[in-house]
Amino acid sequence: MPIRQKIFFLTIAVVLLLVILELVRRRRLRVEYSWLWLASALTIVLMILRYDLLIWITGLVGAVIPTSTLFFFSILYLALLSLNYSVRLSDLTRQVKELAQEVALLRAESSSSWGAPAARPPDPPRASAK
Amino acid sequence: MSERVLVVIPAWNEAANLHGVVGELRGARPDDDLLVVDDGSTDGTAELARRLGCRLVELPFHLGYGAAVQAGVKYGLRRGYPVAVTFDGDGQHDPADVEPLIEAVRQGADVALGSRFLSPGAYHGGLFRRAGRRLFSLLLRALTGLRLTDPTSGLKALGPRGQTLFALARFPDRFPDADALVLARRARLALAERPARMRQSHNRHSMHGGGRAVAYTFNMFLSLLVAAAGRESDLRG
């Protein structure tokens, strides 16, 4: 890899790293999510410094040119990332639903003239019977 | 525990129909508690429900039919109602069909469904709908061993165990359908079906119209498999 290219891509990778660290520092990015981004940035740095590693992986997976390897893994990585976001979104959707219902129920309770819930709790769910 | 019946009326922009629905229910069933669940309406449905003297659960934004029903069921569960009836706010159900469902619950059913197809002069729909329904009916039978003719019915009576199931966090909250019944079966609830007349829905946003039918069928199919193959722990909330 020509030195000019190396410097250019290294600069980008370092800026990316700094942005991630700054986001974590300002608590804009939760620490538990940041490791993924840090790992991504460090991978880029590693690929720049050790181009032979990429060539080795290319041989390993049986690809012809290193660029294909790079693109393949980048796309795979992005796809997995989206999948991960979908899972998180599903969780959040359920949580928002539960919260919205809870808010509505509490509001109904506090504003109603119908009184508090029955003193006796409802029957335990037999739904849990094995 | 009160012996009263809670009638849960999910309503999304039903200001035009709600007056009739509540009036009819009051006429036919004066002793029941009517609960309107306003699902983020923008047409004053909540205001109308309040003016009509109904109990009201007002969702802060639109959540969808299943989640609205679920909110109403949670209300019933917390107040210890022995029976909660779900009754659509668009006027498609007939209050006269409620009593047999409540009777079924009193006789031990946990979930009693009002079926369009058990009543005389039933509505059967077009060829595709019938074919689709037949498919789900067979699938449901294969999965639950039950012959249920109308899993999509919005008219249901739920006993305490039925209410507990419907209130689960992971309960299907789009349109509880055949998947809900598979879950009910897996949770070993007793299911029953009674005839019910369904009127032509005034519903402007019918959930089974046009191209959405295909998407719905597909979603339902997936949801059924999820319900059948889901984790046991999801049945406990």
Side-chain angles (χ1 to χ4, degrees), chain B residues 24-74:
Chain B
E24 266 192 301
L25 273 167
R26 285 244 168 84
R29 316 192 47 83
D31 293 332
D32 292 356
D33 292 340
L34 304 187
L35 169 71
V36 171
V37 181
D38 172 42
D39 189 12
S41 301
T42 51
D43 68 344
T45 294
E47 210 29 67
L48 178 61
R50 214 174 272 130
R51 224 170 43 237
L52 291 169
C54 295
R55 290 156 188 255
L56 177 66
V57 164
E58 209 178 341
L59 296 172
F61 37 79
H62 182 62
L63 286 183
Y65 177 81
V69 168
Q70 187 178 50
V73 170
K74 284 180 178 177

Side-chain angles (χ1 to χ4, degrees), chain A residues 4 23 43 45 48 52 55 59 63 79 85 93 101 113 115 125:
Chain A
R4 190 183 271 272
L23 282 173
T43 309
V45 174
I48 296 164
D52 52 318
I55 293 167
Y85 286 146
T93 305
Q101 289 177 336
S113 48

Side-chain angles (χ1 to χ4, degrees), chain B residues 124-134:
Chain B
H124 286 290
L127 179 68
F128 282 109
R129 281 184 181 211
R130 265 182 309 179
R133 205 172 294 119
R134 181 109 191 94

Side-chain angles (χ1 to χ4, degrees), chain A:
Chain A
M1 200 190 276
I3 188 73
R4 190 183 271 272
Q5 248 182 40
K6 245 182 195 173
I7 291 171
F8 176 67
F9 288 119
L10 257 183
T11 314
I12 290 182
V14 168
V15 168
L16 186 61
L17 255 175
L18 288 177
V19 168
I20 294 164
L21 288 175
E22 182 60 14
L23 282 173
V24 175
R25 198 181 67 86
R26 291 192 191 173
R27 312 229 179 276
R28 295 273 312 277
L29 183 63
R30 295 179 66 92
V31 175
E32 61 261 40
Y33 295 168
S34 65
W35 66 265
L36 180 74
W37 296 110
L38 288 174
S40 313
L42 288 173
T43 309
I44 295 175
V45 174
L46 188 72
M47 285 293 145
I48 296 164
L49 297 179
R50 294 286 310 273
Y51 191 72
D52 52 318
L53 249 172
L54 184 64
I55 293 167
W56 179 71
I57 295 171
T58 304
L60 203 68
V61 299
V64 181
I65 17 179
T67 346
S68 334
T69 318
L70 206 59
F71 277 109
F72 171 73
F73 280 106
S74 309
I75 292 169
L76 184 69
Y77 172 77
L78 290 176
L80 289 177
L81 202 61
S82 321
L83 183 64
N84 176 277
Y85 286 146
S86 295
V87 171
R88 281 193 213 286
L89 268 180
S90 303
D91 278 342
L92 286 171
T93 305
R94 184 173 44 77
Q95 288 167 346
V96 166
K97 180 206 75 179
E98 294 277 311
L99 276 176
Q101 289 177 336
E102 200 58 39
V103 165
L105 288 169
L106 287 175
R107 204 157 57 176
E109 217 162 84
S110 64
S111 70
S112 84
S113 48
W114 307 106
R120 184 186 173 286
D123 288 332
R126 285 246 310 273
S128 63
K130 278 266 170 171

